[in-house]
Amino acid sequence: VLLGRAGASFVNNNPGQRVPFYVYPYVGGFTTLRSYTEFRFREENSLFLSGEYRLGVHKYVQVLGFVDAAKVAHDWQDIDFSDLQTGYGWGVRAGTERRTFISLEMGMGGDEGRRWFIKFMPSW
């Protein structure tokens, strides 16, 4: 299985008004940029891209490799494909053809070293 995902979040506020920092979009963690900790990069606008290749090695087990890239910026005009934070990694998932029950993934390539993620939930 070859999988690609992308996401963007833009805050649209009136001039002179600010959005509280705790509701800013973020990248980092299991769902966006797996080589960084959860909520690592926060700003008013964000973009993430992810590519993943899954290979079934058993009826209930898949191995995967992935590449992630993301960016946050104060102004939405600064969201482009330059100066992206990137990471890559591998993982193992167990489940049925319709649902993943457990996922173990390791992301690396970021400034923070290796990140391990164990999730007991359906994957995308």
Side-chain angles (χ1 to χ4, degrees):
V1 175
L2 187 59
L3 174 71
R5 294 183 319 117
S9 183
F10 300 98
V11 174
N12 186 12
N13 49 350
N14 293 327
Q17 295 182 342
R18 304 297 301 164
V19 173
F21 73 92
Y22 50 85
V23 293
Y24 279 179
Y26 70 90
V27 296
F30 184 74
T31 58
T32 55
L33 191 56
R34 291 171 268 195
S35 58
Y36 289 91
T37 57
E38 198 77 32
F39 309 110
R40 174 63 176 87
F41 302 102
R42 301 191 101 151
E43 192 49 84
E44 290 188 2
N45 305 287
S46 69
L47 168 74
F48 78 90
L49 307 164
S50 181
E52 189 172 294
Y53 179 72
R54 298 180 192 167
L55 178 66
V57 294
H58 185 270
K59 182 177 180 180
Y60 301 110
V61 179
Q62 294 179 335
V63 294
L64 60 103
F66 61 84
V67 176
D68 299 328
K71 184 175 185 175
V72 296
H74 179 71
D75 294 318
W76 67 268
Q77 295 94 338
D78 294 332
I79 296 292
D80 54 22
F81 297 109
S82 65
D83 300 322
L84 294 170
Q85 299 293 328
T86 59
Y88 58 93
W90 60 272
V92 177
R93 292 186 180 165
T96 65
E97 289 181 6
R98 296 180 183 258
R99 186 173 183 149
T100 300
F101 295 112
I102 185 170
S103 177
L104 170 66
E105 297 180 12
M106 182 182 70
M108 53 194 147
D111 298 335
E112 298 179 354
R114 295 185 176 120
R115 294 283 169 222
W116 288 93
F117 295 95
I118 299 174
K119 294 289 184 175
F120 298 93
M121 60 181 249
S123 65
W124 50 84

